[in-house]
Amino acid sequence: MRLKTSAIAVFALVLGSAAGVFGQTTVNVSPGDDIGAALIEAGFKGTVIFAPGWYDLVPVEPGSGVGIDLHSEFEGITLQGAGPGTDPETATILDGEAWFIATGFQIATVDIVIDGFTMINIYDEAVEGNSDALNIEIRNCWFLACDSGADNDGTGGMGDPEFFDEMIRYYNCVFARGGDDGTDLEGDSAVLFQNCDFYDWDSDIFDNEDNSTVIVKNCIFHAGSLSDDVDGGSGLTEIHNSVFFDPPGEDADGLGGIAFEGGAYEIDGIGGDPLYVNVGPHVFWLDLDFHLQAGSPALTIGKDADGNQTYAGAMGPAQ
């Protein structure tokens, strides 16, 4: 009987050890650490926690132009930053400038969570999901001075948008000061943006290029001097309870001066200055502040899942 009990104890110990190997590993990284090695150590369903600081992204392979490559080996992984912002004392900032990073996060697997980062100086797309990207959740991230923020290559995020279970989902994210469209959504993707800010893009502020189904809720579209279009392409882009503002447009193009093209439709939106604390054409991008002033119309336009009044944009009430 004692031998049997010991055998059971040993078996339980082996199972406990295996749990650490098969998906329970947490790895901590700091600026200067090898992010690729940390991903490999964390592995399937693991977690990588990024300390605050300024990280120079290094290509996963020489000449690849990819900063963080999330493929099938990393299914279910969580990448947890310290939070968004421009202060490296409190935020996790991933910078692509030094190594000419073209793609920040390249996603080709399922069940990924990316939370709490600022990504800057990405020469093509900050986030790119391909046809293997399902159930991707990106939260509390700022994408500043990236050519394009959210980009799909192929049919990422397939699924029934009524249930969101396989969609690519962006919550409380900021897409600002890019060099191209705020989004380039391609193929037959299914994507959700909720409580996000799209600010000051040079081309279309939002672009659904193909047949994607895109649901947008409680967002702010604040166009720059060369940007005033929300383009739904040949797909469907439904924008609910959002604020639209184009300062030079004088409402000539549509709601708040922003035009809706192709399959783009707004529902219960308003046109007006969202009244940010510190956003404008002459504000240095490191000084942008997306908190809302007390009189902002964005403080009353949003709705929660039960239809109760909330706010639009990523930051909510001024703090």
Side-chain angles (χ1 to χ4, degrees):
M1 187 70 177
R2 184 174 299 169
L3 287 175
K4 185 181 292 186
T5 303
S6 299
I8 291 172
V10 170
F11 182 62
L13 178 62
V14 170
L15 282 180
S17 300
V21 175
F22 296 105
Q24 303 300 319
T25 304
T26 297
V27 181
N28 292 277
V29 296
S30 297
D33 290 346
D34 187 332
I35 296 174
L39 292 175
I40 292 171
E41 184 178 351
F44 176 74
K45 291 189 177 180
T47 300
V48 180
I49 299 176
F50 291 70
W54 202 290
Y55 296 70
D56 286 324
L57 284 178
V58 177
V60 292
E61 296 178 359
S64 70
V66 176
I68 297 177
D69 186 13
L70 301 174
H71 47 76
S72 58
E73 181 179 351
F74 306 122
E75 177 183 334
I77 202 166
T78 295
L79 305 185
Q80 182 64 60
T86 57
D87 182 356
E89 294 294 321
T90 58
T92 298
I93 301 170
L94 307 180
D95 188 349
E97 185 171 29
W99 291 89
F100 300 98
I101 297 298
T103 301
F105 294 107
Q106 181 170 273
I107 304 173
T109 188
V110 302
D111 303 335
I112 299 296
V113 175
I114 298 171
D115 189 349
F117 295 89
T118 292
M119 184 164 283
I120 64 170
N121 298 322
I122 304 299
Y123 286 85
D124 199 345
E125 58 274 322
V127 179
E128 181 181 63
N130 73 7
S131 56
D132 294 318
L134 299 172
N135 188 27
I136 310 301
E137 189 157 304
I138 300 170
R139 307 187 296 243
N140 307 308
C141 290
W142 290 17
F143 306 103
L144 306 181
C146 302
D147 193 55
S148 180
D151 193 333
N152 283 356
D153 181 13
T155 56
M158 288 294 291
D160 187 339
E162 290 298 319
F163 299 101
F164 304 150
D165 55 347
E166 293 186 347
M167 299 181 79
I168 297 174
R169 304 180 297 275
Y170 293 86
Y171 294 105
N172 298 94
C173 292
V174 173
F175 304 83
R177 289 283 172 83
D180 197 358
D181 303 331
T183 62
D184 288 306
L185 304 176
E186 304 175 31
D188 297 312
S189 304
V191 185
L192 168 72
F193 295 92
Q194 185 165 324
N195 285 100
C196 294
D197 296 75
F198 300 87
Y199 171 68
D200 198 22
W201 298 92
D202 293 333
S203 188
D204 290 336
I205 194 169
F206 193 95
D207 190 9
N208 180 359
E209 293 189 347
D210 294 320
N211 299 316
S212 296
T213 298
V214 183
I215 307 298
V216 180
K217 297 181 177 181
N218 302 352
C219 290
I220 298 173
F221 295 83
H222 185 126
S225 59
L226 300 177
S227 171
D228 66 354
D229 295 337
V230 174
D231 191 351
S234 55
L236 173 64
T237 300
E238 284 190 1
I239 306 177
H240 301 256
N241 304 109
S242 296
V243 177
F244 305 90
F245 183 58
D246 180 16
E250 296 181 354
D251 208 22
D253 292 332
L255 186 61
I258 292 181
F260 300 89
E261 300 180 347
Y265 303 92
E266 67 84 17
I267 301 167
D268 295 328
I270 59 175
D273 186 348
L275 295 180
Y276 290 120
V277 167
N278 194 35
V279 169
H282 303 300
V283 177
F284 182 49
W285 62 270
L286 282 174
D287 296 326
L288 294 169
D289 188 339
F290 292 94
H291 288 92
L292 300 172
Q293 296 183 38
S296 173
L299 292 172
T300 57
I301 189 64
K303 302 290 182 185
D304 66 15
D306 297 320
N308 300 312
Q309 193 173 76
T310 175
Y311 59 87
M315 304 299 288
Q319 299 175 11

